[in-house]
Amino acid sequence: MNIAVLGSGGREHALCYKLKLSKKLDKLICIPGNAGTQNIAININVDLKNFDNIYQILTKEKIDIVIVGPEQPLVDGIVDYLEQKKIRVFGPNKFASQLEGSKGFMKNLCKKFKVPTASFGIFNDFDKAKNFINLSNMPIVVKADGLAAGKGVTICNSIDEAKKNVKEILDGKFKSSKKVVLEEFLEGEELSYFAIVDKNSYRFFGSAQDHKKVGEGDVGPNTGGMGAYSPAKILNNELENKIKKKIIEPTLAAMKELGHPYKGFLYAGLMIKNNEPFLIEYNIRMGDPECQVLMMRLDSDLVDVIDLATKNLLKNSKINWKNNSCMTVVLCAKGYPEKYIKDSEIKNLSSAIIDKSNQIFHAGTYKKKDKIFSNGGRVLNITSSGKNLVSARDSSYANLKKINWVDGFFRKDIGWRAIKNENN
Ligand code: AMP
Ligand code: GLY
């Protein structure tokens, strides 16, 4: 089978890695890819906004299935476009992509279909938002309605801070957002819960915990994710049952009722309090860096799974997971998540261990004359599995130490919460 993966991050490298392990794979292309995917797939450099060019490449390369990695092309309607051209593509259509593309859409859906989530208000008028803030408890969470590359959410501790953030969003800080969502602050522990979905059924597709804040001890500004591990210790059978019955299934039923059955990866960002799940956000794709740890734990053949999903036959599949733990530590360019250093050479990468239990998934990298350079905020994902989280963590950090990159930094405490409990 010939498969194309769209995207250029650690998530896409991890998807390519897992696809490449399948005997059913004939050809793998990655559009546009990075220096990591270049070693296992054919990178083709096309702008993901240019659907016509993508289509030309897919037909020229005789691609059977397309897997869309990032949210932007999904929100822009790439699935609708390719389906019209009779290309088999795995991901939600433009309407269903609003689950991530519009926080207002997602919150209204939760309200209508009784999915537990933080109480909220949606505003495009500053005075009305101000009144809502004046009547709310602090902290309050201020969110841009549309996609904002992980930068659209601020937890505000004072009324003034909340008003300032609302004003910035309504004044057009994010091109994608003319509306603002104000939310009750939920306390608890976060969990990333994944499902793979087709028109007829869905399957659990792994659990993980991410580390969104840039600083150790979970402080500082939000990032795309500084590291993750899987499985998430907080997930138990009772909680999983609640997640399915109260969140995933009502959402999938709602999308059917709205005339747009969901298909693709569905990533629920949850807050767990007293073993009860609350939906914080939906993402319409795999998580990054969660995908990196999940692809190393997935035992089943990913080509088979995606083949069945795109034929709406997931109900015939059994998805197996390895009984191990996996961790990824994200190596970032200094300055990230603000302005960061670019085009900096990463040395000694070849001395890192790459085997069944240790992988380095590239994100913002490119190759020039056999040297690897950075060109993104999140640059490498040092990923290892082990019999438990401590051994996975020790292997990741040991491998990371072999890399020599003066312009890089990383969090030294990935997994701290779970490891504290593992040691107790
Ligand atoms: P989002 O982009 O909606 O996932 O928000 C980014 C991060 O902000 C989440 O991962 C949480 O850490 C935090 N967050 C968002 N909404 C809330 C909320 N209602 N209560 C507490 N924390 C939240
Ligand atoms: N890990 C966060 C995200 O993929 O959005």
Side-chain angles (χ1 to χ4, degrees):
M1 199 155 325
N2 296 339
I3 299 193
V5 172
L6 305 190
S8 61
R11 168 183 47 216
E12 287 75 24
H13 187 185
L15 288 170
C16 287
Y17 156 80
K18 186 61 191 165
L19 292 164
K20 189 79 182 174
L21 294 176
S22 170
K23 290 197 176 64
K24 301 196 174 128
L25 183 84
D26 296 309
K27 177 157 66 174
L28 183 60
I29 70 170
C30 193
I31 305 176
N34 58 38
T37 60
Q38 199 174 335
N39 293 330
I40 51 176
I42 305 163
N43 278 0
I44 302 181
N45 192 10
V46 174
D47 183 351
L48 293 184
K49 288 197 179 71
N50 194 334
F51 294 174
D52 288 338
N53 273 6
I54 293 173
Y55 172 66
Q56 276 168 16
I57 293 190
L58 298 174
T59 44
K60 183 167 160 254
E61 300 289 334
K62 299 193 168 45
I63 295 300
D64 299 298
I65 305 180
V66 182
I67 304 173
V68 187
E71 60 278 15
Q72 190 70 57
L74 292 167
V75 168
D76 292 345
I78 194 160
V79 168
D80 312 58
Y81 174 92
L82 291 177
E83 280 182 345
Q84 233 177 27
K85 305 256 189 205
K86 305 275 176 265
I87 300 256
R88 197 148 49 117
V89 51
F90 188 59
N93 68 14
K94 186 169 180 159
F95 183 91
S97 295
Q98 291 179 91
L99 280 175
E100 178 169 358
S102 165
K103 293 198 189 285
F105 174 88
M106 181 279 265
K107 296 296 281 191
N108 282 329
L109 183 134
C110 286
K111 194 168 167 183
K112 184 163 173 207
F113 294 90
K114 299 194 170 50
V115 174
T117 189
S119 60
F120 67 99
I122 304 171
F123 302 94
N124 52 19
D125 176 88
F126 181 68
D127 288 329
K128 287 190 180 137
K130 209 166 71 178
N131 291 341
F132 186 93
I133 294 170
N134 286 333
L135 295 172
S136 300
N137 295 327
M138 294 298 122
I140 185 168
V141 187
V142 178
K143 300 187 173 183
D145 177 61
L147 293 183
K151 295 195 175 116
V153 175
T154 316
I155 294 164
C156 299
N157 289 305
S158 72
I159 290 180
D160 284 347
E161 191 189 357
K163 287 181 190 164
K164 179 175 160 278
N165 277 281
V166 167
K167 187 146 189 1
E168 281 175 2
I169 292 169
L170 293 181
D171 283 349
K173 181 175 178 186
F174 303 102
K175 268 195 232 124
S176 59
S177 303
K178 293 185 181 64
K179 284 186 283 196
V180 66
V181 178
L182 298 175
E183 258 183 45
E184 163 203 14
F185 177 77
L186 294 174
E187 275 174 70
E189 196 172 331
E190 283 183 60
L191 162 65
S192 304
Y193 185 91
F194 296 88
I196 182 166
V197 185
D198 70 17
K199 286 184 181 164
N200 297 319
S201 61
Y202 77 97
R203 291 279 182 270
F204 169 67
F205 208 63
S207 71
Q209 282 185 294
D210 187 10
H211 297 64
K212 287 225 167 80
K213 302 273 196 259
V214 74
E216 278 148 29
D218 295 328
V219 297
N222 266 337
T223 67
M226 298 295 292
Y229 59 87
S230 172
K233 303 268 163 159
I234 192 174
L235 190 63
N236 53 52
N237 286 342
E238 188 192 332
L239 175 60
E240 178 158 20
N241 214 22
K242 289 180 191 165
I243 294 170
K244 288 178 167 169
K245 297 290 169 222
K246 294 185 176 186
I247 295 181
I248 305 288
E249 289 172 20
T251 303
L252 299 181
M255 295 313 293
K256 276 193 182 143
E257 197 178 312
L258 295 170
H260 292 274
Y262 192 89
K263 66 182 176 65
F265 297 115
L266 183 62
Y267 158 2
L270 304 170
M271 190 67 88
I272 310 301
K273 190 174 182 190
N274 301 329
N275 219 34
E276 280 296 327
F278 297 86
L279 182 69
I280 299 180
E281 61 164 350
Y282 268 130
N283 295 309
I284 51 170
R285 50 178 173 82
M286 285 303 286
D288 187 339
E290 291 97 327
C291 188
Q292 288 79 314
V293 283
L294 292 175
M295 287 308 105
M296 281 186 73
R297 293 197 54 242
L298 180 63
D299 212 17
S300 301
D301 183 318
L302 185 59
V303 174
D304 270 344
V305 174
I306 300 287
D307 184 35
L308 286 173
T310 51
K311 291 174 175 157
N312 295 310
L313 290 172
L314 265 181
K315 60 178 185 302
N316 298 344
S317 71
K318 173 141 185 23
I319 300 179
N320 297 314
W321 298 89
K322 293 176 192 158
N323 189 18
N324 59 4
S325 291
C326 189
M327 183 179 288
T328 189
V329 179
V330 181
L331 183 53
C332 301
K334 279 184 189 161
Y336 178 77
E338 311 301 333
K339 201 171 179 316
Y340 51 80
I341 292 167
K342 279 190 189 161
D343 303 306
S344 164
E345 189 187 345
I346 303 161
K347 294 182 180 156
N348 266 14
L349 249 183
S350 57
S351 63
I353 301 168
I354 304 289
D355 60 18
K356 247 174 79 181
S357 312
N358 301 278
Q359 289 291 323
I360 295 185
F361 296 121
H362 288 232
T365 62
Y366 65 94
K367 204 177 200 172
K368 201 172 162 188
K369 293 189 184 146
D370 280 334
K371 291 180 176 170
I372 305 288
F373 293 86
S374 70
N375 68 349
R378 294 191 295 167
V379 175
L380 294 171
N381 301 263
I382 295 62
T383 313
S384 298
S385 54
K387 64 180 189 309
N388 57 28
L389 203 52
V390 170
S391 76
R393 183 220 24 211
D394 291 349
S395 304
S396 296
Y397 281 107
N399 224 12
L400 202 163
K401 269 196 184 154
K402 297 181 198 287
I403 301 167
N404 175 2
W405 188 29
V406 286
D407 289 324
F409 80 97
F410 58 92
R411 268 181 67 165
K412 297 184 186 66
D413 67 343
I414 301 304
W416 65 274
R417 211 187 283 264
I419 285 171
K420 197 169 70 185
N421 296 334
E422 198 169 83
N423 288 335
N424 285 337

